[in-house]
Amino acid sequence: MKSFFTYFVIFFVVFFIPLNADIQIDTSQIKNYIVKKEFYTQGKNRFMIFRSYTYKENSYFLLINLDSLKTSIISNTQKEKLKKSGKSILSNSNYSKLVAKVFKNSSILSNAGINKSLHKKKNEIYLTIDMCPSSKKGYEKELFEEYLKSTEINKKIPISIAITYRWVKDHKKEFFSLIHNENLDITWINHSKNHYYNPIEKLSKNFMLNSKTNLREEVIEVEKLLILNNLTPSILFRLPGLISNQKLINSLVYEFSLIPLGTNNWLVKSDKEVSNGDIILIHGNLNEKEGVEKLINNQPNINRFKSIYNSLLTDK
């Protein structure tokens, strides 16, 4: 009888405890979240700390390698091993080159920022998947759980997911599945907290250009959500609707140290086939199935998907 009871408890835990049990959305647990710019070196590596915060009474820092563009979270002890430096280390870094590239088309209304690969590398394409708020249950299961499967042992498929707080809040089970998908190597892109949209408003006053937008909240709450769930935010920001103006771009770059990422192949709106160097945009929230179907029907070789950082690195 004891053995039966033990097995029953295990069965109940495995099959009846909801998968969203481990997803954290109460970002107030992260305290003293500060936007900053501090510069450090370690050997030949150049870094910028652009956020600091406390969690469970411990101090942490979000930093970017100014050349590899990859972000990481370090403790206060790890920070103390870095050598303090000045703003001059930005000079000629891949990060500073990206910033310069952003401002070459920062005033356009649609698709500002980095909207194409900086180098068209043979057999490389970069898949970005937007998870905007959606009232539909579930996500693109065929995409995430069937199509995006590695055919090589111990090799994960690199993709980027532009995430919104509101989608996670309403889809905890699906978010849990994404972050525990062993087939995927995910770069997390900030896609805003609320992703405001009103179909009757003109674009110049819509999305994040709405007068009621609280930019700090839209940016910071997504970063805190990712950190709270043991994920590392990238420096990339995908503008809702790809809509912006010069003021918004300036704030994202200068105030928050983020790089707006657009696309040169939004599959549901594009007539072109998938080709080398494409920054592909599809939606994984069931709101734009045509784009997902187009990708799957096109059947690009899974091995062509590469990390978005490959597209953004300016040094060959």
Side-chain angles (χ1 to χ4, degrees):
M1 178 61 70
K2 182 178 181 180
S3 176
F4 172 80
F5 179 77
T6 301
Y7 284 126
F8 175 80
V9 169
I10 294 173
F11 177 85
F12 181 84
V13 169
V14 172
F15 291 98
F16 291 96
I17 297 298
L19 283 178
N20 62 16
D22 292 330
I23 298 302
Q24 304 292 315
I25 63 170
D26 179 13
T27 57
S28 67
Q29 298 177 67
I30 295 179
K31 309 292 185 181
N32 305 315
Y33 203 84
I34 300 173
V35 175
K36 57 173 56 183
K37 286 184 174 69
E38 294 179 353
F39 301 94
Y40 296 86
T41 60
Q42 187 176 64
K44 294 182 179 180
N45 293 309
R46 300 180 282 182
F47 301 100
M48 177 174 70
I49 286 179
F50 60 106
R51 306 284 189 268
S52 65
Y53 62 93
T54 56
Y55 180 60
K56 295 183 178 179
E57 299 184 356
N58 293 313
S59 296
Y60 297 96
F61 305 87
L62 186 56
L63 83 166
I64 175 177
N65 184 309
L66 294 171
D67 293 306
S68 73
L69 305 178
K70 292 189 176 182
T71 53
S72 56
I73 295 171
I74 61 172
S75 66
N76 196 53
T77 301
Q78 292 170 307
K79 179 191 173 187
E80 290 174 350
K81 295 179 181 179
L82 302 176
K83 183 180 178 181
K84 184 76 173 177
S85 186
K87 189 177 180 180
S88 61
I89 67 169
L90 277 172
S91 178
N92 209 39
S93 67
N94 281 332
Y95 175 81
S96 66
K97 292 176 184 177
L98 267 187
V99 169
K101 201 77 173 178
V102 166
F103 286 110
K104 287 187 175 181
N105 71 340
S106 57
S107 62
I108 59 177
L109 179 65
S110 179
N111 205 22
I114 304 297
N115 55 25
K116 61 182 179 180
S117 174
L118 302 188
H119 298 301
K120 287 195 174 183
K121 300 179 181 179
K122 186 177 181 181
N123 293 324
E124 287 197 8
I125 51 181
Y126 315 101
L127 180 60
T128 65
I129 305 170
D130 286 8
M131 305 302 281
C132 313
S134 174
S135 60
K136 296 177 182 176
K137 295 181 179 180
Y139 65 177
E140 292 286 356
K141 191 170 183 177
E142 183 180 5
L143 171 69
F144 291 115
E145 300 180 18
E146 297 176 29
Y147 176 69
L148 291 174
K149 278 191 175 181
S150 177
T151 57
E152 299 182 18
I153 298 175
N154 296 326
K155 182 178 180 181
K156 294 185 176 183
I157 301 170
I159 66 170
S160 300
I161 296 181
I163 200 79
T164 59
Y165 179 97
R166 276 182 56 202
W167 183 84
V168 172
K169 183 179 178 181
D170 295 333
H171 298 83
K172 298 186 188 72
K173 177 181 177 181
E174 290 76 18
F175 187 55
F176 183 95
S177 296
L178 281 176
I179 64 181
H180 291 89
N181 188 323
E182 296 182 352
N183 295 314
L184 303 178
D185 178 13
I186 301 173
T187 297
W188 295 97
I189 299 174
N190 193 330
H191 197 31
S192 81
K193 177 185 178 182
N194 293 300
H195 195 296
Y196 172 86
Y197 173 65
N198 187 332
I200 66 173
E201 287 183 346
K202 58 183 181 180
L203 290 179
S204 61
K205 295 185 178 180
N206 216 333
F207 295 103
M208 292 187 73
L209 299 184
N210 181 268
S211 60
K212 295 182 180 179
T213 296
N214 181 329
L215 182 57
R216 178 182 172 85
E217 180 180 288
E218 294 295 329
V219 170
I220 297 306
E221 288 304 302
V222 175
E223 294 178 356
K224 291 165 70 176
L225 172 72
L226 291 171
I227 292 169
L228 198 57
N229 288 283
N230 299 313
L231 304 171
T232 304
S234 72
I235 56 159
L236 302 176
F237 192 93
R238 169 64 56 74
L239 289 152
L242 299 182
I243 299 300
S244 63
N245 59 17
Q246 185 71 63
K247 181 181 178 181
L248 177 55
I249 297 295
N250 286 350
S251 295
L252 287 172
V253 176
Y254 290 133
E255 182 180 353
F256 295 99
S257 303
L258 299 176
I259 301 295
L261 179 70
T263 178
N264 65 322
N265 198 348
W266 188 342
L267 284 184
V268 80
K269 296 187 176 184
S270 171
D271 294 327
K272 62 180 285 191
E273 296 296 323
V274 174
S275 60
N276 288 336
D278 279 358
I279 299 175
I280 299 168
L281 190 160
I282 59 175
H283 284 72
N285 61 352
L286 298 176
N287 280 356
E288 205 176 74
K289 293 187 70 67
E290 297 88 346
V292 174
E293 290 170 357
K294 187 174 180 180
L295 176 71
I296 293 174
N297 292 337
N298 188 273
Q299 288 292 322
N301 189 320
I302 288 292
N303 291 318
R304 292 177 67 193
F305 291 121
K306 302 298 179 181
S307 166
I308 190 65
Y309 295 114
N310 288 32
S311 169
L312 302 175
L313 291 173
T314 55
D315 285 340
K316 293 183 180 180

